[in-house]
Amino acid sequence: MISVSNLSIQFGKRTLFQDVNLKFTPGNCYGIIGANGAGKSTFLKLLSGDLDSTSGRVAMEPGERLAVLKQDHYEFDDFTVLDSVVAGHSELWSIMQEKNDLYAKPDFSEADGIKASELEEEFAEMGGWNAESDAAELLSGLGIKEALHYKMMSELSGKEKVRVLLAQALFGNPDNLLLDEPTNDLDLETVMWLENYLANFNNTVIVVSHDRHFLDSVCTDIVDIDFGKVKMFSGNYTFWYESSQLAARQQANQNKKAEEKKKELQEFISRFSANVAKSKQTTSRKKMLEKLNIEDIQPSTRRYPGIIFQQEREAGDKIFSCTGLSKQIDGDVLFKNVEFTIEKGEKVIFLSRDPRAMTSLFNIINNQEKADSGSFEWGVTITPAYLPVDHNSFFQEDITLKDWLAQYSPDTSEIFLRGYLGKMLFSGEDIFKKANVLSGGEKVRCMISKMMLNNANLLVLDTPTNHLDLESIQSFNNALINFGGTILMSSHDHEFIQTISTRVIELTPNGTIDKLMDYDEYISSDKIKALREEMYQ
């Protein structure tokens, strides 16, 4: 258990939050949410002791162990992969080192033997004899193949190191587990493994994530950092979001009586609980259902971007088709003999175990890259808008946001441009920010405003939620659900994919898998699992 008492943190004259009093108890998973800059990662650093608070204290129960997902990818470069994982349990690792040093002594004495015997007993009590096999099991679950287990960490890629460090945090069943963006650089299958692992983890988990499906799958409670306050609510992210929206609507409706509002809130809780109960039960969801109550429903002060995609012209019947498209990079076959036809209004998710495949395909069909072979054709009525995964080239010039957006607008008046930038939460003096110093999330919001100006009838989106906060992701998601045109996209956001896509096309080195079904159905089908394994051979 972690107790937080009268906690506050101040940087200069800016108070991030103050008077925080919370308890994080075993068997629960707490999702930390808040707008970019609200202090989510800072809060985790205060809990872990990596940062000192201005006032107040953080305490754990005596003898409890805390594990934290490390952010320094080079810290363990001199360790093997397996040793890096075991080193996550510092006490066990220390005993192992002390024990090995004793046995290595050339003048091993009787006193050394007694000490070694004591260490062996402690080692066994901590499960030391199973440490290597437990570490290997975690690594395999996170997609690190056995061939890499005895390599040095310095030999691994950045994405592989992220997975090893996650295994390190999970190793040894810590009493308290702190995870900052644990799904970053994980593919969708590995995220599902982690969801199942954490949903059945019996100790205390505190996690920061922008992945809504992940938060819904593992969280029993949401901790919202908003305008200097830190509040805890029972339920997962979707319950927090939908209930806060309902409460905001009720707050705006002055004519509705208090009894009617209370009845509406109670009906919402009953409906939400029934829907969760019908889904696959996990430990966390069962606990969540026990605690939902009307006091947890409060309006949020969070601001959401206003994203609306409108089509200037209706698309005709011919949308897009391709034949025999193939592409290799550095000798790796990304896809081969890709052939498909897109129908009007379809919303297609493109998948691959190699994310370069989707980026190359989207660049090819937008004439930014050449295929090795094959051809493609757009319908004459199609006006596409493309959001590439790498959009830094759009933000090289030292110009204001207003002037940046004016490059893509038929109307360059300030009042018109302010309207579009305001929808994306750039208000007041924000429009005079320089385009070349924007954060990743600000750049994506600018690209979305550019796309809205296009009034396109087909959107091509390459991992569009990268760098966005939960509020922007939620608004983007809702806008794409309501978009009447055609969408071709890739994404690592499960909720995004499931709620938007109507068709799945997977690109493999041996052709495509093309299914007219939703994403959850696709990944749960045993026949498709077997086919996927065959296609990646």
Side-chain angles (χ1 to χ4, degrees):
M1 183 174 78
I2 298 177
S3 299
V4 177
S5 307
N6 300 316
L7 193 72
S8 67
I9 184 74
Q10 187 172 336
F11 298 102
K13 293 183 178 180
R14 185 191 177 204
T15 299
L16 209 53
F17 39 77
Q18 60 186 355
D19 300 326
V20 181
N21 292 279
L22 298 171
K23 279 190 178 179
F24 301 95
T25 56
N28 291 310
C29 178
Y30 302 87
I32 312 293
I33 64 170
N36 286 346
K40 300 184 294 294
S41 295
T42 299
F43 188 65
L44 284 192
K45 288 177 181 175
L46 290 167
L47 295 179
S48 68
D50 288 341
L51 185 66
D52 291 330
S53 62
T54 305
S55 63
R57 64 191 293 265
V58 175
M60 288 192 301
E61 294 291 299
E64 287 193 344
R65 186 167 74 87
L66 175 72
V68 181
L69 175 59
K70 301 278 189 179
Q71 300 298 323
D72 182 354
H73 295 178
Y74 303 99
E75 184 177 349
F76 296 89
D77 272 3
D78 294 334
F79 288 61
T80 67
V81 168
L82 269 177
D83 282 349
S84 297
V85 176
V86 178
H89 192 326
S90 57
E91 190 177 354
L92 176 64
W93 179 251
S94 178
I95 289 172
M96 287 175 65
Q97 299 311 297
E98 188 177 356
K99 188 163 63 82
N100 293 339
D101 289 344
L102 274 176
Y103 289 136
K105 287 178 68 174
D107 55 343
F108 189 81
S109 66
E110 184 178 345
D112 291 331
I114 294 171
K115 180 64 176 174
S117 175
E118 292 171 352
L119 291 171
E120 289 288 8
E121 189 175 345
E122 288 184 71
F123 182 72
E125 285 177 0
M126 290 184 183
W129 295 113
N130 296 322
E132 192 168 299
S133 60
D134 290 346
E137 186 177 347
L138 281 171
L139 287 166
S140 297
L142 288 164
I144 299 295
K145 294 180 180 176
E146 195 172 339
L148 296 175
H149 291 188
Y150 293 95
K151 286 188 176 290
M152 301 301 291
M153 283 285 279
S154 56
E155 300 178 64
L156 270 57
S157 69
K159 291 185 177 182
E160 289 167 338
K161 284 183 179 181
V162 167
R163 294 168 186 240
V164 176
L165 293 176
L166 182 52
Q168 180 191 76
L170 300 176
F171 177 75
N173 197 38
D175 301 288
N176 299 290
L177 180 59
L178 307 186
L179 302 173
D180 193 353
E181 295 292 356
T183 62
N184 278 4
D185 292 317
L186 300 185
D187 59 36
L188 286 158
E189 291 176 31
T190 310
V191 171
M192 287 171 60
W193 179 91
L194 183 60
E195 287 174 356
N196 289 330
Y197 185 93
L198 293 178
N200 295 287
F201 187 75
N202 291 323
N203 297 333
T204 305
V205 184
I206 303 174
V207 60
V208 170
S209 179
H210 286 147
D211 187 325
R212 295 162 300 157
H213 187 273
F214 179 75
L215 291 175
D216 278 350
S217 296
V218 304
C219 288
T220 58
D221 301 81
I222 292 296
V223 176
D224 182 31
I225 303 177
D226 192 10
F227 288 94
K229 295 186 183 301
V230 183
K231 295 182 179 179
M232 186 183 291
F233 302 93
S234 295
N236 61 16
Y237 174 76
T238 296
F239 177 78
W240 173 86
Y241 171 73
E242 292 185 5
S243 64
S244 67
Q245 295 293 299
L246 172 59
R249 289 194 298 273
Q250 286 194 343
Q251 193 176 61
N253 188 349
Q254 300 296 324
N255 297 323
K256 187 172 283 188
K257 294 178 181 177
E259 306 87 63
E260 292 175 339
K261 289 182 179 181
K262 186 175 180 180
K263 183 181 177 185
E264 186 178 23
L265 295 173
Q266 288 173 331
E267 287 174 350
F268 166 76
I269 290 176
S270 298
R271 189 168 63 252
F272 186 87
S273 299
N275 288 339
V276 173
K278 289 175 189 173
S279 66
K280 291 180 181 177
Q281 286 291 325
T282 65
T283 305
S284 65
R285 287 181 179 133
K286 287 174 185 173
K287 289 175 183 170
M288 182 186 76
L289 287 173
E290 293 167 5
K291 298 190 296 180
L292 295 183
N293 58 71
I294 200 165
E295 286 74 27
D296 285 330
I297 297 183
Q298 297 179 24
S300 170
T301 54
R302 199 88 88 252
R303 296 170 66 212
Y304 292 80
I307 304 176
I308 302 172
F309 294 110
Q310 296 178 320
Q311 304 176 71
E312 190 167 347
R313 68 185 296 193
E314 184 79 14
D317 292 333
K318 186 176 175 61
I319 307 299
F320 176 87
S321 62
C322 65
T323 306
L325 285 180
S326 300
K327 183 67 179 181
Q328 291 188 35
I329 294 180
D330 299 329
D332 297 331
V333 178
L334 301 185
F335 49 82
K336 185 168 64 176
N337 297 326
V338 171
E339 185 168 332
F340 58 83
T341 297
I342 301 297
E343 302 295 333
K344 184 177 178 180
E346 282 190 321
K347 297 179 179 180
V348 185
I349 180 66
F350 288 84
L351 305 176
S352 177
R353 291 183 180 172
D354 190 335
R356 295 178 300 173
M358 286 84 76
T359 295
S360 277
L361 177 69
F362 291 164
N363 281 340
I364 288 166
I365 66 177
N366 282 281
N367 296 310
Q368 296 183 10
E369 196 176 316
K370 294 287 186 184
D372 297 336
S373 62
S375 62
F376 64 90
E377 184 180 7
W378 291 100
V380 294
T381 62
I382 300 304
T383 53
Y386 181 29
L387 177 59
V389 66
D390 182 1
H391 39 261
N392 287 319
S393 60
F394 289 86
F395 298 93
Q396 300 301 311
E397 292 186 70
D398 184 22
I399 56 176
T400 66
L401 282 192
K402 178 179 76 70
D403 291 336
W404 182 88
L405 190 60
Q407 299 173 105
Y408 310 105
S409 174
D411 185 338
T412 57
S413 66
E414 182 173 317
I415 191 168
F416 180 80
L417 296 172
R418 270 191 181 277
Y420 273 86
L421 289 169
K423 288 185 178 75
M424 301 311 298
L425 307 183
F426 296 108
S427 57
E429 295 300 304
D430 288 344
I431 71 163
F432 300 114
K433 277 186 178 181
K434 291 302 178 77
N436 58 353
V437 297
L438 296 177
S439 68
E442 288 172 330
K443 287 177 181 176
V444 178
R445 283 189 276 129
C446 284
M447 292 296 289
I448 294 172
S449 63
K450 171 181 175 291
M451 293 180 76
M452 288 195 292
L453 280 167
N454 286 353
N455 293 324
N457 53 27
L458 184 142
L459 306 178
V460 182
L461 309 168
D462 192 357
T463 50
T465 61
N466 275 7
H467 307 295
L468 292 179
D469 58 22
L470 279 167
E471 292 71 47
S472 299
I473 291 171
Q474 189 73 59
S475 295
F476 205 175
N477 198 158
N478 293 342
L480 295 177
I481 290 171
N482 295 323
F483 179 58
T486 303
I487 298 174
L488 313 180
M489 71 176 190
S490 68
S491 179
H492 46 64
D493 186 310
H494 188 129
E495 188 74 9
F496 216 71
I497 298 170
Q498 173 61 19
T499 56
I500 295 168
S501 63
T502 56
R503 178 180 174 186
V504 179
I505 298 179
E506 185 157 2
L507 308 172
T508 82
N510 296 299
T512 58
I513 306 171
D514 189 345
K515 299 294 180 181
L516 197 64
M517 59 175 59
D518 69 29
Y519 178 66
D520 281 347
E521 185 182 357
Y522 183 83
I523 59 174
S524 62
S525 165
D526 290 334
K527 286 184 179 179
I528 291 175
K529 284 179 188 174
L531 177 59
R532 294 179 77 205
E533 291 305 316
E534 184 182 324
M535 296 292 275
Y536 282 102
Q537 293 292 329

